[in-house]
């Protein structure tokens, strides 16, 4: 085992066994200091995300900073309620007993953080893990070194080494970080790496939460408010240049509204990102050349409806919309995770549902329609992690809702109380009185006793 990670893991276990993290007062104190430090470091966070990903300030504030700050405030406000033992009803078998359910921390958590929303997707699960009373090791992506330094400084200024520690790929390989037997592993990333994480975790029967991705479909029905649909799809798809696990991955457009909708979509792309998007300062870049080349390969020998230009030197690709004919197209084989949005024109959504059911279950489903029957039918027939009706991605901003996938888009859910529960063990406690001790509960099981038990139970 890697000596560094072995010593770090021992420190985590040692700190957890002091029982400090089980004290609600201690958790709240740390969360308040965490909040204060993040607020103090806002300018450093903004500059780092601009350096690493070329994100604009408003996008940073909304999709990174604010979600973390709100998660901490929500946890501080509700943690005592979440942790409070819950009474449970007894039954006739336990007539002499009282029952309750308590939440206790799992222990030491390993959190894998991705590069696309490096602040939000590292610190939100960390907030939930700390609120639940755990220690944690936060493993950061190598693709965003500037924000990693800021995150590490924030963590070091708030937490003891044994409580929360940041580890980077430069220090430990991901195969080595998996060697200790953690009490829980939380992973956000690709389906491919998620399978590897789960396979490694299975060797020690370590439970996991996998926040993956998938091809999130977006239905534009003939009854949709097309103007609103175009605005909200454009915002949701091209935030972070499409490098978002819940971004609409492809459109299914009713043929009766195709022309009008596409004109509106192009209008709002131009309005949001400019006529020459490659020179816009607020267009985030593609993370690296490997992903850039993968995305631009999709554009070979195609004629986009709009967009399609790219700049390899600056790793930027225009918001691009193009038509495909069916689910067999290369663009439909994997999650696009970039600023390319294919669409399929449909006569009737019912005609393509069976084809969709052959695809892996997506992380999110988007429906733009005013027809309640159409919405209800899609909700009932298309499985997904979560759903937005007449909007995109906004379900991820509500910490009163669980966020997570289903099937190959992930397992487990977090945010708010759901994150607290994810990182907690739900323990049943039964307490039986000793003041009464009827013989009926003990052998020998005579015919008379058996007859009586069968009668009352």
């Amino acid at each position: 085992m890697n000596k560094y990670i072995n010593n770090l893991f021992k420190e985590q276990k040692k700190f957890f066994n002091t029982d400090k993290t089980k004290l609600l007062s201690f958790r709240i104190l740390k969360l308040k200091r965490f909040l204060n430090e993040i607020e103090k470091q806002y300018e450093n966070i903004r500059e780092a995300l601009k350096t690493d990903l070329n994100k604009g300030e408003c996008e940073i504030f909304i999709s990174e900073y604010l979600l973390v700050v709100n998660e901490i405030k929500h946890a501080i406000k509700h943690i005592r309620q979440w942790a409070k033992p819950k009474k449970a009803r007894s039954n006739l078998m336990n007539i002499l007993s009282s029952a309750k359910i308590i939440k206790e921390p799992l222990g030491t958590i390993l959190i894998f953080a991705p590069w696309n929303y490096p602040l939000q997707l590292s610190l939100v699960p960390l907030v939930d893990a700390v609120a639940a009373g755990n220690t944690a090791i936060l493993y950061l992506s190598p693709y965003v070194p500037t924000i990693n330094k800021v995150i590490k400084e924030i963590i070091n200024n708030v937490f003891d080494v044994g409580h929360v520690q940041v580890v980077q790929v430069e220090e430990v390989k991901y195969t080595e970080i998996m060697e200790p037997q953690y009490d829980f592993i939380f992973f956000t990333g690709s389906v491919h790496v998620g399978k590897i994480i789960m396979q490694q975790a299975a060797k020690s029967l370590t439970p996991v939460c996998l926040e993956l991705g998938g091809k999130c479909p977006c239905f534009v029905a003939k009854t949709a408010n097309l103007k609103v649909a175009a605005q909200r799809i454009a915002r949701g798809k091209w935030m972070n240049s499409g490098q978002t696990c819940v971004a609409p991955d492809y459109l299914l457009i009713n043929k009766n509204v195709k022309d009008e909708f596409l004109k509106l979509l192009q209008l709002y792309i131009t309005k949001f990102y400019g006529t020459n998007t490659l020179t816009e300062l607020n267009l985030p870049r593609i993370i690296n050349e490997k992903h850039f080349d993968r995305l631009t390969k999709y554009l070979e020998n195609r004629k986009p409806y709009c967009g399609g230009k790219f700049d390899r030197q600056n790793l930027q690709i225009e918001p691009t919309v193009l038509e495909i004919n069916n689910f067999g197209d290369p663009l439909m084989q994997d999650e696009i995770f970039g600023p390319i949005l294919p669409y399929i024109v449909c006569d009737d959504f019912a005609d393509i549902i069976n084809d969709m059911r052959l695809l892996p279950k997506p992380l999110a489903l988007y429906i733009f329609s005013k027809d309640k029957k159409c919405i209800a039918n899609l909700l009932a027939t298309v499985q997904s992690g979560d759903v937005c009706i007449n909007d995109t991605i906004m379900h991820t901003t509500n910490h009163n809702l669980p966020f997570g996938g289903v099937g190959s888009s992930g397992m487990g859910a977090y945010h708010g109380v759901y994150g607290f529960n994810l990182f907690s063990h739900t323990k049943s406690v039964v307490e039986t009185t000793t003041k009464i001790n009827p013989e009926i509960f003990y052998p020998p099981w005579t015919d008379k006793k058996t007859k009586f038990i069968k009668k009352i139970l």
Side-chain angles (χ1 to χ4, degrees):
M1 182 181 290
N2 180 284
K3 186 176 180 181
Y4 169 69
I5 195 63
N6 185 44
N7 291 335
L8 185 59
F9 182 74
K10 285 181 179 178
E11 284 292 322
Q12 294 268 309
K13 283 298 180 185
K14 182 179 177 182
F15 192 89
F16 182 76
N17 289 335
T18 65
D19 291 334
K20 284 183 180 179
T21 64
K22 293 181 180 178
L23 300 172
L24 291 181
S25 58
F26 179 81
R27 300 184 211 177
I28 292 170
L29 175 65
K30 288 297 180 182
L31 288 171
K32 286 181 176 179
R33 288 181 179 174
F34 198 16
L35 175 63
N36 182 62
E37 185 67 21
I38 291 170
E39 291 175 335
K40 192 167 69 174
Q41 294 265 14
Y42 174 72
E43 281 303 314
N44 292 333
I45 290 168
R46 184 187 64 76
E47 289 174 8
L49 288 169
K50 178 69 175 176
T51 299
D52 286 336
L53 293 161
N54 197 40
K55 289 191 179 188
E57 182 171 7
C58 190
E59 188 169 320
I60 289 169
F61 184 82
I62 293 171
S63 68
E64 297 266 20
Y65 175 81
L66 191 62
L67 292 181
V68 176
V69 165
N70 284 346
E71 189 76 9
I72 299 174
K73 290 179 178 179
H74 188 66
I76 291 170
K77 182 177 180 180
H78 296 285
I79 189 171
R80 293 189 184 279
Q81 175 190 344
W82 297 342
K84 189 177 181 180
K86 306 293 191 298
K87 288 184 178 180
R89 293 179 64 182
S90 290
N91 54 20
L92 282 174
M93 289 283 285
N94 293 276
I95 196 168
L96 302 179
S97 305
S98 62
K100 63 182 177 181
I101 300 167
I102 62 174
K103 299 287 185 180
E104 65 179 15
L106 293 172
T108 297
I109 312 297
L110 173 61
I111 299 173
F112 284 89
W115 53 263
N116 57 328
Y117 291 89
L119 188 81
Q120 178 211 148
L121 296 180
S122 61
L123 298 192
V124 169
L126 178 62
V127 169
D128 294 349
V130 169
N134 300 283
T135 62
I137 294 175
L138 187 59
Y139 192 61
L140 302 179
S141 166
Y143 297 147
V144 281
T146 316
I147 189 62
N148 284 354
K149 290 178 183 177
V150 178
I151 291 172
K152 190 163 188 173
E153 183 179 345
I154 290 170
I155 297 300
N156 291 343
N157 289 346
V158 174
F159 298 100
D160 297 292
V161 173
H163 192 185
V164 179
Q165 182 61 280
V166 172
V167 177
Q168 300 179 68
V169 173
E170 298 81 34
E171 300 167 313
V172 181
K173 296 177 182 178
Y174 88 90
T175 51
E176 294 174 324
I177 197 76
M178 289 283 292
E179 288 176 353
Q181 186 167 350
Y182 300 94
D183 296 290
F184 194 87
I185 295 173
F186 184 97
F187 172 82
T188 304
S190 70
V191 174
H192 171 69
V193 180
K195 290 178 180 178
I196 297 172
I197 298 297
M198 190 170 183
Q199 188 177 43
Q200 291 295 314
K203 294 177 181 178
S204 56
L205 295 179
T206 302
V208 299
C209 174
L210 302 177
E211 296 296 339
L212 308 176
K215 300 188 70 62
C216 302
C218 182
F219 290 86
V220 181
K222 60 184 177 183
T223 60
N225 182 322
L226 298 181
K227 180 180 177 180
V228 171
Q231 288 176 307
R232 294 176 182 177
I233 290 170
R235 179 200 61 202
K237 173 62 182 180
W238 287 289
M239 178 177 283
N240 200 27
S241 284
Q243 299 171 119
T244 306
C245 58
V246 291
D249 195 85
Y250 62 99
L251 302 178
L252 298 158
I253 310 173
N254 183 280
K255 68 174 185 178
N256 296 314
V257 297
K258 181 200 79 171
D259 292 338
E260 183 182 354
F261 171 76
L262 290 175
K263 286 178 184 177
L264 285 166
L265 185 61
Q266 184 175 16
L267 172 70
Y268 286 108
I269 289 172
T270 301
K271 185 175 181 180
F272 294 169
Y273 303 103
T275 54
N276 186 6
T277 57
L278 294 179
T279 64
E280 292 291 318
L281 293 177
N282 288 332
L283 183 67
R285 66 174 64 90
I286 306 304
I287 189 62
N288 56 35
E289 291 181 353
K290 178 183 175 182
H291 286 279
F292 180 90
D293 292 341
R294 175 184 62 83
L295 290 166
T296 53
K297 191 173 180 61
Y298 285 133
L299 300 177
E300 292 178 359
N301 302 315
R302 294 186 190 264
K303 186 177 179 181
Y305 177 84
C306 63
K309 296 178 184 176
F310 51 85
D311 179 354
R312 196 172 194 275
Q313 183 177 348
N314 293 312
L315 297 179
Q316 291 182 316
I317 302 173
E318 280 187 324
T320 301
V321 180
L322 51 84
E323 183 174 8
I324 59 176
N325 295 319
N326 53 58
F327 290 103
D329 190 281
L331 275 164
M332 292 301 296
Q333 303 313 302
D334 295 298
E335 182 180 6
I336 294 170
F337 215 70
I340 302 167
L341 184 60
Y343 66 89
I344 298 174
V345 180
C346 314
D347 289 333
D348 190 328
F349 292 151
D351 296 336
I352 63 167
I353 294 299
N354 288 333
D355 290 330
M356 288 191 66
R357 283 178 162 177
L358 298 175
L359 300 175
K361 298 168 187 174
L363 185 57
L365 165 66
Y366 301 114
I367 305 168
F368 285 86
S369 176
K370 297 175 187 175
D371 184 343
K372 298 295 184 183
K373 186 176 179 181
C374 171
I375 293 170
N377 184 57
L378 290 172
L379 283 174
T381 54
V382 182
Q383 286 186 287
S384 64
D386 300 306
V387 179
C388 264
I389 299 168
N390 294 320
D391 209 342
T392 61
I393 75 174
M394 294 306 292
H395 62 289
T396 65
T397 67
N398 186 346
H399 43 238
N400 295 301
L401 293 174
F403 172 72
V406 60
S408 62
S409 60
M411 61 180 70
Y414 71 118
H415 287 181
V417 67
Y418 304 97
F420 182 88
N421 291 338
L422 179 73
F423 293 111
S424 299
H425 170 58
T426 302
K427 179 185 283 187
S428 300
V429 179
V430 173
E431 184 175 354
T432 307
T433 182
T434 58
K435 294 179 180 179
I436 305 173
N437 195 26
E439 287 187 15
I440 192 71
F441 290 115
Y442 301 100
W445 307 114
T446 62
D447 290 344
K448 185 177 180 180
K449 278 187 182 180
T450 301
K451 185 177 181 180
F452 179 74
I453 289 171
K454 288 174 73 174
K455 184 177 181 180
I456 64 169
L457 296 183

